[in-house]
Amino acid sequence: CAKIRGKDRHQFYSDHMSKSVYEEIDMSHKIRTAINANIFEMHYQPIVSTKPGTLVGLEALIRWKDHEEGYIPPARFIPIAEKTGQMKSIEKLVIDSVFLQVKQWIDKKDAPLFVSINLSPEGLVQQHIIPFLEDMKEKYQFPPEKIQFEITETAMIRNEIYVLQTLNCIKQMGFRISLDDFGTGYSSINYLRVLPIDKVKLDKSFLLSIENDPKNQEIVETVIDLCHKLKLEVIAEGVETESQRAYLIDIGCDYIQGYLFSKPLNSEEISKWIAETYFK
Ligand code: C2E
Ligand code: MG
Ligand code: MG
Ligand code: MG
């Protein structure tokens, strides 16, 4: 029945709208169903310190396996969820699920120092995230510094004053904040000064040519120095090779994350990975 209706819809819209509009409408229906059934799953990717090489944190990344289409990457559905006002619901599911997981790891004395959660700009602008985070703190009762929120500069472009208020509030609640994808987009150095952040995540695009592009090396080294002078720690993301790791250690980057260590894994797999990697 759904299939037939789906076909009808296709025929109806194809005369009037472009294919991409139809696809967006279709995707937003799919997202609604996925939210209602809560079928999203969180995967976790290790963040490792460069000095002793120990695990310091995990980044939580949303995964969606649709029963018809299979894996649908976040880059495909998050922009549509944002556009159609569905991101608020997704974000709540994500945060609740990660807090529950962290609570379970803490209870088993198995928790890394922190777990990162990506925040989309929408929640920061609308500020509905604050009362929700108060509820989460109350519900799960663990030290807030276990959670680090990752934000991007795009949030600031939308409504600087509101976003700054929200971030200061999040910080006052005891959570940590990092600036994700630094070096892409507008990358205002001023954000490093005004945002209440603890860490900066260097975008993975820097690493693509890190070994044979001297200009790129100068930029990366200068950004790391600048961050350190501002008392910010630096995470390099997208580290895939041993020589990238060696270079990043050499120039004093604090933490690294990437396929070199592990791709994002579900909670059971990541617990197993941690046990095998660090407690053999
Ligand atoms: P991001 O926060 O910058 O996350 C890093 C992305 O790089 C992830 O892609 C991760 O799987 C990928 N990655 C990690 N290591 C490597 C590597 O060594 N090489 C390469 N080429 N890629 C690597 P993913 O999971 O597809 O997520 C894409 C983006 O979607 C994220 O970028 C983030 O902006 C957003 N996102 C993912 N999960 C969530 C979520 O739960 N909430 C929100 N609001 N956004 C999310
Ligand atoms: Mg991130
Ligand atoms: Mg990133
Ligand atoms: Mg990104």
Side-chain angles (χ1 to χ4, degrees):
C1 201
K3 250 186 196 157
I4 295 167
R5 249 181 290 152
K7 264 186 197 151
D8 275 357
R9 210 164 54 219
H10 190 188
Q11 269 178 355
F12 174 76
Y13 287 121
S14 59
D15 293 334
H16 305 277
M17 300 179 199
S18 71
K19 187 164 170 272
S20 77
V21 171
Y22 166 70
E23 276 170 1
E24 276 187 24
I25 293 169
D26 193 46
M27 179 57 84
S28 90
H29 285 300
K30 270 200 151 104
I31 294 172
R32 175 62 52 215
T33 313
I35 291 169
N36 291 336
N38 191 3
I39 60 164
F40 299 107
E41 201 187 309
M42 297 314 290
H43 280 206
Y44 297 87
Q45 187 181 34
I47 301 171
V48 175
S49 79
T50 44
K51 272 152 229 153
T54 48
L55 177 83
V56 290
L58 300 170
E59 179 174 5
L61 294 154
I62 194 167
R63 293 293 177 262
W64 175 15
K65 218 174 141 194
D66 179 68
H67 62 100
E68 283 168 353
E69 258 186 78
Y71 172 63
I72 304 177
R76 235 187 96 205
F77 70 87
I78 287 181
I80 296 172
E82 282 173 341
K83 225 166 138 180
T84 52
Q86 292 167 303
M87 205 50 210
K88 182 175 167 182
S89 309
I90 294 179
E91 206 119 87
K92 284 184 170 177
L93 292 175
V94 165
I95 293 172
D96 198 305
S97 144
V98 175
F99 272 58
L100 173 64
Q101 184 60 64
V102 170
K103 175 77 179 149
Q104 288 170 350
W105 277 328
I106 289 174
D107 289 346
K108 285 198 287 180
K109 306 205 168 8
D110 223 10
L113 286 180
F114 65 83
V115 177
S116 264
I117 301 175
N118 291 283
L119 286 185
S120 84
E122 196 188 88
L124 298 174
V125 177
Q126 292 178 12
Q127 304 190 318
H128 54 68
I129 189 121
I130 296 300
F132 182 70
L133 290 180
E134 302 272 12
D135 290 349
M136 291 292 103
K137 255 182 99 170
E138 188 64 30
K139 182 172 171 191
Y140 290 108
Q141 301 280 338
F142 58 75
E145 65 265 20
K146 285 281 173 202
I147 300 289
Q148 168 173 286
F149 289 105
E150 298 193 2
I151 56 147
T152 58
E153 298 154 321
T154 42
M156 291 298 280
I157 298 156
R158 302 260 298 268
N159 198 327
E160 200 159 321
I161 292 173
Y162 281 135
V163 172
L164 207 53
Q165 264 179 6
T166 313
L167 292 176
N168 284 326
C169 222
I170 291 177
K171 181 78 180 185
Q172 270 169 27
M173 291 165 84
F175 298 112
R176 299 289 186 259
I177 301 174
S178 68
L179 187 58
D180 202 358
D181 300 346
F182 188 75
T184 60
Y186 295 91
S187 293
S188 163
I189 286 174
N190 201 38
Y191 293 149
L192 297 179
R193 188 174 66 81
V194 298
L195 293 175
I197 50 174
D198 305 281
K199 298 186 188 71
V200 169
K201 297 189 78 171
L202 261 188
D203 191 72
K204 55 179 172 284
S205 57
F206 280 114
L207 290 190
L208 292 176
S209 59
I210 200 76
E211 281 141 305
N212 42 35
D213 181 347
K215 277 191 187 167
N216 196 14
Q217 288 181 354
E218 287 298 338
I219 292 171
V220 170
E221 290 172 27
T222 307
V223 168
I224 291 178
D225 280 349
L226 176 62
C227 288
H228 286 166
K229 284 183 177 138
L230 298 171
K231 307 270 184 294
L232 300 167
E233 295 183 304
V234 182
I235 303 175
E237 53 178 15
V239 179
E240 294 183 1
T241 67
E242 199 51 66
S243 61
Q244 287 172 340
R245 166 167 57 182
Y247 170 73
L248 289 162
I249 292 176
D250 195 46
I251 62 169
C253 185
D254 305 285
Y255 308 108
I256 38 189
Q257 173 184 358
Y259 297 159
L260 176 65
F261 303 103
S262 168
K263 64 180 180 75
L265 300 170
N266 72 31
S267 55
E268 246 169 67
E269 293 164 343
I270 195 73
S271 296
K272 204 165 151 241
W273 181 89
I274 294 170
E276 281 169 1
T277 311
Y278 292 102
F279 303 106
K280 276 194 290 239

